Amino acid sequence: MTVLAAVGLLALAGCTSPTGDGAGSPSPSTSPSASPGQSEEPTSSASPTGETLTWGPTEGDVAAATALAAGMSPEEVAGQVILARYPGTDPDAAAAELTQYDLGGLVVFGANVDSTEQVAQTAAAVQEAQADLGRDWPAIMAVDNEGGLVQRLSAATGDWTSFPPFMAAGAADDAAVVSDAAEAMATELRATGINYDFAPVADVTIGSADPVIRDRSPAGDTDRAARAVEAAVQGFADGGVLSSLKHFPGHGALTVDSHEDLPVQSASADELAERDLAPFRAGIEAGAPTVMMGHISVEAWDPGVPASLSPEAYRVLREELDFTGVAITDGLDMGALTQTRTSAEIAVEALAAGADLLLGPVDVAEAHHGIVSALEDGTLERDRVDEAAGRVIALMQWQEQSAADAGAVDLAESESGAQASAALSEAAVTIVQGECSGALAGPRIHVRGGSADDWDAFVAAAERAGLQVVPLEQPADTDVRLITGATPSGTGDVAVSLDAPWLLTGTDAPVRVAAFGRTTGAMGAVAAVLAGEAPAPGSLPIDVEGLAATAC
């Protein structure tokens, strides 16, 4: 059996239990008095009594998981609330990192990826280490896969599909297409042992003045952003992978990068609720199991304190948005925090404020020791840490069951990712200036702008659509200009923005098209529109001065 096939079977239930029965989540049969990793004989496949929570488990499931956490040593419970990076690409090194600190799980970054097979091997090694720790719930294997520029696992790094940036979802404004794309991404991730994706982005962007989120956001329009987030959450759930709304309470309206410094949100509480919080509310109501807390100071809540460390921010999330799932911090290695605090101080402050899961401390050993010490001296209440760890355990028990419900996956045999990515791009492509029917270019075209890779990909797509790309020294019917962040201006008969749509204000081309991405599907969608073979059903999800939302 190949490693991918083995991980595909493992992903059927997220992780097999130590007994190897693969029967799904052990949470319904776990005794509140059992020690970690031990459970009674199942009595029923039904959940314990108690209200079913929006994000999946019942109140009884969470209570039982919290009791498991209460039976852990301080070292074990401290590790359970940490999600850490790990070094290199060696599966054994990843497993050792999990074991050394009793971690709740690990995060895959680009430096941890050699190939699809290697990621699958790493996930399998980590789950084996989890079982060796006596835990009968899966360890977290997480990744940042939004689509666009933020996609650690893509066609560039292995056999995964590349997806367009999430703004394509806002441009498409088609719940079925957006949900299908999220489900396809989730299915591919789960096929290689990934069970948690830090997506979708719920930030409402202000556009070109936004230095960080930009086309990672679904829209500048609150309602459209909310619809995209809701659809994506449903898609991830259908694919059996955990999703995470980010970056609460919204990073898209800020002009300071929290990777470097602490942004300040000066909007009133009412303005925040009406604009920035609405997509988070929609995602929570759709069943999002986790929310990522941004390192953002909200003057109306807790001036000078990052939301990730602010008790008031967690209160708003819990009481005003009725969120009962896992609150995870944004990366604890970001400048907004590390300029003023140590890893231990950050970890303790975040947990005390209300965080359940700590993402990526700079110094895992220091953060872990800080939590243990704070438990011992009373700085942290044990009940608060048990509550956090219990939510994380219940989260992973639920993921195991939802993965089993979603069914086995085999990346090598699936074409759904490429189809769903292309469908999203086809629904998103937008003509903001020009005719809406008939050919917009050709049959002979010049192609200018973009990188060498962009040029090659677009030319291939154009030729598949029946357009003839000719050398610049030969006559052509149409000059097509590719507009990107690196090549943001230029003239031509047709301008195609592969990045953010507001770049189209930098050209005087009479025909302007927003592609929302440079994937194979996005290139194909634009080429088909230019050749007159397909409509352009999308519309700009953000107001851009001087541009219509759509010409069609």
Side-chain angles (χ1 to χ4, degrees):
M1 179 181 291
T2 66
V3 172
L4 284 181
V7 173
L9 291 174
L10 180 68
L12 172 60
C15 172
T16 56
S17 69
T19 59
D21 59 10
S25 173
S27 60
S29 60
T30 301
S31 168
S33 61
S35 61
Q38 295 179 337
S39 61
E40 297 173 349
E41 197 67 26
T43 57
S44 169
S45 61
S47 296
T49 57
E51 181 181 355
T52 299
L53 302 170
T54 307
W55 54 288
T58 67
E59 291 177 340
D61 293 333
V62 178
T66 303
L68 280 176
M72 292 179 171
S73 69
E75 291 77 14
E76 289 170 332
V77 79
Q80 184 63 54
V81 297
I82 296 175
L83 192 57
R85 292 176 179 249
Y86 61 94
T89 58
D90 183 357
D92 291 339
E97 184 77 7
L98 184 91
T99 301
Q100 182 175 3
Y101 300 107
D102 297 294
L103 298 175
L106 301 172
V107 186
V108 178
F109 282 87
N112 306 125
V113 181
D114 267 348
S115 66
T116 310
E117 190 88 358
Q118 171 265 327
V119 170
Q121 290 171 342
T122 300
V126 167
Q127 297 303 352
E128 183 177 354
Q130 174 82 345
D132 289 342
L133 288 171
R135 298 173 178 174
D136 58 0
W137 59 88
I140 295 172
M141 284 297 291
V143 74
D144 229 345
N145 253 47
E146 302 169 5
L149 291 177
V150 183
Q151 190 174 348
R152 313 295 183 200
L153 305 180
S154 68
T157 55
D159 296 328
W160 303 275
T161 298
S162 292
F163 286 82
F166 197 42
M167 189 168 279
D173 201 18
D174 184 322
V177 170
V178 174
S179 183
D180 285 350
E183 181 178 0
M185 179 185 283
T187 299
E188 289 193 352
L189 294 178
R190 189 160 56 88
T192 46
I194 305 299
N195 51 29
Y196 187 179
D197 189 5
F198 300 140
V201 173
D203 303 323
V204 178
T205 184
I206 56 174
S208 59
D210 168 8
V212 180
I213 305 302
R214 300 173 73 84
D215 65 356
R216 297 168 61 193
S217 163
D221 174 77
T222 297
D223 292 339
R224 191 179 287 219
R227 290 193 293 271
V229 167
E230 181 178 3
V233 167
Q234 184 60 59
F236 282 116
D238 290 343
V241 166
L242 301 168
S243 61
S244 192
L245 309 177
K246 64 183 187 184
H247 309 80
F248 186 85
H251 206 307
L254 304 172
T255 56
V256 172
D257 185 350
S258 57
H259 291 87
E260 307 298 333
D261 207 345
L262 180 63
V264 176
Q265 174 56 267
S266 59
S268 70
D270 287 343
E271 288 170 335
L272 274 176
E274 182 177 347
R275 182 191 65 200
D276 297 82
L277 300 189
F280 289 94
R281 185 183 298 278
I284 289 167
E285 291 175 353
T290 79
V291 171
M292 182 177 287
M293 306 297 289
H295 308 317
I296 300 160
S297 171
V298 180
E299 290 187 338
W301 294 351
D302 205 350
V305 180
S308 54
L309 307 181
S310 166
E312 180 62 12
Y314 289 95
R315 186 201 65 78
V316 171
L317 178 66
R318 298 291 184 193
E319 296 182 12
E320 297 185 18
L321 273 66
D322 297 323
F323 180 64
T324 59
V326 169
I328 180 174
T329 67
D330 203 350
L332 299 185
D333 57 350
M334 293 167 63
L337 303 185
T338 58
Q339 288 183 352
T340 57
R341 297 167 175 85
T342 67
S343 291
E345 290 169 340
I346 292 169
V348 172
E349 194 173 344
L351 286 168
D356 300 314
L357 192 55
L358 310 176
L359 173 59
V362 172
D363 189 325
V364 176
E366 182 185 303
H368 185 266
H369 178 70
I371 297 168
V372 173
S373 296
L375 287 171
E376 291 174 345
D377 67 18
T379 305
L380 266 178
E381 295 183 1
R382 178 62 194 250
D383 285 351
R384 166 78 273 271
V385 182
D386 289 344
E387 175 186 55
R391 285 184 181 137
V392 173
I393 294 168
L395 176 77
M396 298 315 298
Q397 290 171 332
W398 177 253
Q399 188 279 328
E400 183 178 45
Q401 183 60 63
S402 64
D405 293 342
V409 288
D410 187 339
L411 180 58
E413 296 180 0
S414 175
E415 297 180 356
S416 62
Q419 293 168 349
S421 178
L424 177 56
S425 290
E426 289 162 6
V429 63
T430 303
I431 297 174
V432 299
Q433 189 169 301
E435 297 297 323
C436 295
S437 61
L440 299 176
R444 292 163 57 88
I445 66 172
H446 289 153
V447 179
R448 308 172 190 266
S451 68
D453 288 343
D454 295 335
W455 194 92
D456 288 342
F458 185 81
V459 166
E463 291 178 345
R464 288 195 301 270
L467 299 171
Q468 183 184 358
V469 180
V470 298
L472 297 180
E473 62 270 17
Q474 295 182 14
D477 301 296
T478 311
D479 276 339
V480 177
R481 171 75 61 172
L482 303 181
I483 302 291
T484 70
T487 56
S489 62
T491 191
D493 300 310
V494 176
V496 178
S497 174
L498 303 180
D499 292 332
W502 48 83
L503 293 176
L504 288 170
T505 60
T507 179
D508 60 0
V511 176
R512 305 183 199 183
V513 181
F516 300 99
R518 44 173 44 83
T519 62
T520 300
M523 297 294 193
V526 170
V529 168
L530 296 185
E533 294 182 346
S539 59
L540 297 189
I542 183 169
D543 291 335
V544 180
E545 186 175 358
L547 297 181
T550 176
C552 302

